[in-house]
Amino acid sequence: MELLRKWLGHPEDIYHLLRFKMGGYRAVMPRMDPDSLGRGLRTCYRYLNQTSRSFAAVIQALDGELRHAVCIFYLVLRALDTIEDDMTISLDVKVPMLHEFHSYLYQPEWKYMESKEKDRQVLEDFPTISMEFRNLSKVYQDVISDICRKMGVGMAEFLEKKVDSQHEWDRYCHYVAGLVGIGLSRLFSASDLEDPIVGQDTELANSMGLFLQKTNIIRDYLEDQQDGREFWPKEVWSRYAKKLSDLTKPENIDLAVQCLNELVTNALHHVPDVLKYLSRLKNQSVFNFCAIPQVMAIATLAACYNNKQVFRGVVKIRKGQAVTLMMDATNIQAVKSIMYQYVEEIYQKIPSTDPSSNKTQQVIASIRTMSFPGGPMVSRHHYSPIYLSCAMLLAALSWQYLSTISKATEEYVQAGEN
């Protein structure tokens, strides 16, 4: 019944969940025919579904040969990331592997059988992945190999190095996410589905990745602490606590929230670049692929801002809210409206005593101007009393059905991309 109470408070979620479940998801994630693929590609898409159903859904919605290039790109980087994450691999073995990993793409027999990580199948059957990589057009191979090389170098750099300054935070996020944005953008342009400028403007592509990665780092503070990982920049948190772990202490909660708000403000500075990047996209499948994670991120930041729960448990957006974002974020004006809505939500929560309040207000003002230079934007949704009554009745009748939404949909809308 807790689920029912949540939906009664957000009746629009019911409409969008039903709309999504009854076929609306095909507009943003059309089905791919696996029978049209060769054996190697079918295996690669199976690994894609096993390692990330959420990414699998949006990747398989891409048009033409770009779909296969992005699938292989994802699996190659997943294999690289699996090596980085595997704490059973000693540094004297791991560092050379990270530096040389891009060369394994051209070694048909290379594989690694010693990993204990959950996604180790991408290492154990790397010959299948590397074979499909070599089957790609050379223009795609060059992009994937180059990004893999640069990412391996960056991962090795931060293996024994903590993130101290905000510059290093940006550098770390560049290696693990910005390079992904740059690589994807180059693939988009190489496919001719997007103009050359999309792949050439690495600053905007980098910002796309940084915005997502910073959002994940902010949201995942407690989980990372519990796993012994630290990604918040010391330059920021040291102004609020002696140790990063001290932010979880009840007596430090006010300072912890101020630290959180400063980092959210930092992440918001990427939103103008995100909007400029998305405004250049022409292909619908590419736009959906890029826009959906970005609107999930702004909604997540709005949920995290000034929220003590970040230091106590899990903060995530509602499933119905996420489905609404997926269904709505199909054009640049809709995305601008969504961004506007959530920065306004943040603006309304800015404490007058917060040390970062002026900076937060300034960056929100710039996002407002870029989103709607002609003036404020009204809410995207208006529901009449009759609609609300019907929605509540529908909730009472269908809450059990909605609670059984498929695993693939649930994993995607949680928007917690690794």
Side-chain angles (χ1 to χ4, degrees), residues 2 47 53 67-68 87 180 190 205 214 231 240 260 283 332 353 356 365 373 383 398-399 413 417:
E2 178 61 26
Y47 291 153
R53 287 184 178 179
R67 177 190 307 131
H68 302 326
M87 303 306 292
V180 178
K214 288 182 178 181
F231 298 112
Y240 302 93
L260 166 69
N283 179 269
I332 187 60
T353 56
S356 304
Y383 298 101
S398 61
W399 71 275
V413 299
E417 300 302 356

Side-chain angles (χ1 to χ4, degrees), residues 110 114 214 217 245 299 313:
W110 187 89
E114 308 302 321
K214 288 182 178 181
I217 288 173
S245 58

